[in-house]
Amino acid sequence: GEGLPTLVISTSAGDTSVVLSPYRALMRAGYTPSPGRHVEVKAAPASTGGADHWVAITLRDVDSGLEVVLRDADSGLPLVGGRGRAR
């Protein structure tokens, strides 16, 4: 794919983009983000390559109740390693 998967969340303050990474965690949970879904996201600010953005720590699909933990809440490190390794 091209770039990191990003979720655009509409709030009363406007639209906010949140990076969903690592995508492998979403795949393992069987979750595919789709437009119009009601989700709750816990995210942290991050800066890479001089660009500021938000990175999801957890994502919960309100309709299905499915919650996916993408990163450690304390360290911000991904909970799913690359190349088939789990952390």
Side-chain angles (χ1 to χ4, degrees):
E2 294 182 25
L4 294 172
T6 303
L7 184 70
V8 178
I9 300 174
S10 297
T11 69
S12 59
D15 290 348
T16 301
S17 295
V18 179
V19 175
L20 301 177
S21 171
Y23 190 68
R24 180 173 296 207
L26 295 173
M27 290 174 30
R28 284 188 181 170
Y31 185 74
T32 303
S34 60
R37 300 294 297 189
H38 183 189
V39 297
E40 294 175 348
V41 177
K42 292 181 185 174
S47 180
T48 55
D52 294 332
H53 55 273
W54 289 91
V55 176
I57 304 294
T58 62
L59 177 136
R60 184 169 94 75
D61 184 293
V62 174
D63 298 326
S64 70
L66 177 69
E67 182 172 273
V68 182
V69 180
L70 300 165
R71 296 178 170 271
D72 180 270
D74 295 324
S75 69
L77 294 174
L79 294 179
V80 176
R83 302 178 195 229
R85 295 180 326 197
R87 290 188 175 162

